[in-house]
Amino acid sequence: MTKSRRIIGRVVALVLFAAFTHQVKLAIAQEGKIVPYVPTPQEVVDRMLELAEVKKGDVVYDLGSGDGRIVVTAAKKYGIKAIGFEIDPQRIKESHENIKKAGVENLVEIRQQDIRTVDLSAASVLTMYLLPEVNLMIRPNIWKQMKPGSRVVSHDFDMGDWKPLKTEHIKDGTSWEHTLYLWHVEAGRK
């Protein structure tokens, strides 16, 4: 591929990304939500939980839990308590259907709550697929409320100058590449 084709390809990609970002912001403004619903592919869900090293005794919180796939997977695969936080009534309905279908009603809960108001202190693992500015909004709560050693995994978006312990790239079944970030909460972080 010639250098000019690579440059044109990058410019086209940037224009498409800018258009996508604009559409997302419009959708958010129209729906009154701070993040749009974009489901995480199952293979990415599985890797997020593996990256967090979920184990017996953990409590997983998923902010903006959508159809509940992360909390359902955590409960079914690891036998642990998992709580999703979602404000969209349609997504909550789907979550309850998925929880029942998976037979994990005794381990999974969905709370209709704005993710900015969630008390994170009971979570040992936090998963999220939010936007960069929302991650930064949530970050002070993570530092203040989560216990040292708790794990945080974000799909596709980092947390500014809080450097992750690990960054991974994974392709889903459609060959779309996703980036996963892992942090451990440290004592005294403000």
Side-chain angles (χ1 to χ4, degrees):
M1 183 180 272
T2 66
K3 185 176 180 180
S4 61
R5 280 190 172 179
R6 282 194 304 269
I7 291 170
I8 291 169
R10 288 182 182 151
V11 168
V12 168
L14 285 171
V15 169
L16 290 173
F17 180 75
F20 170 76
T21 302
H22 178 71
Q23 289 296 342
V24 166
K25 287 180 179 177
L26 281 176
I28 292 167
Q30 291 169 356
E31 295 178 24
K33 299 176 189 174
I34 61 170
V35 292
Y37 173 62
V38 179
T40 299
Q42 188 60 47
E43 55 267 53
V44 177
V45 168
D46 292 335
R47 186 61 196 141
M48 288 174 77
L49 295 171
E50 289 165 7
L51 190 58
E53 297 180 354
V54 173
K55 61 190 179 306
K56 285 280 185 203
D58 276 331
V59 175
V60 171
Y61 276 21
D62 184 31
L63 299 181
S65 57
D67 64 4
R69 65 183 64 192
I70 290 178
V71 290
V72 166
T73 301
K76 196 167 184 177
K77 189 171 182 179
Y78 299 97
I80 60 162
K81 179 131 179 80
I83 301 172
F85 298 88
E86 179 59 58
I87 61 167
D88 185 330
Q90 181 58 37
R91 300 286 90 78
I92 293 169
K93 182 179 179 222
E94 290 171 13
S95 295
H96 287 267
E97 291 166 2
N98 292 332
I99 292 164
K100 187 172 183 167
K101 191 160 82 173
V104 291
E105 301 95 330
N106 60 327
L107 293 172
V108 178
E109 180 183 343
I110 302 295
R111 295 181 186 165
Q112 187 168 12
Q113 185 175 351
D114 183 319
I115 61 173
R116 294 170 291 189
T117 67
V118 174
D119 178 354
L120 303 171
S121 60
S124 53
V125 174
L126 178 66
T127 61
M128 50 196 194
Y129 187 14
L130 308 172
L131 295 172
E133 58 270 20
V134 180
N135 281 4
L136 291 176
M137 239 187 277
I138 301 296
R139 188 174 77 172
N141 295 346
I142 293 170
W143 290 347
K144 288 177 194 163
Q145 298 170 3
M146 294 185 77
K147 294 172 187 73
S150 298
R151 288 92 67 209
V152 179
V153 179
S154 176
H155 176 190
D156 276 342
F157 302 109
D158 66 12
M159 289 207 226
D161 60 359
W162 187 19
K163 299 298 177 214
L165 289 178
K166 196 178 238 186
T167 302
E168 281 190 12
H169 301 281
I170 179 175
K171 288 190 178 184
D172 65 24
T174 66
S175 295
W176 187 265
E177 189 170 286
H178 304 265
T179 304
L180 302 180
Y181 300 92
L182 170 70
W183 297 267
H184 285 189
V185 176
E186 301 168 21
R189 183 119 135 102
K190 297 288 179 220

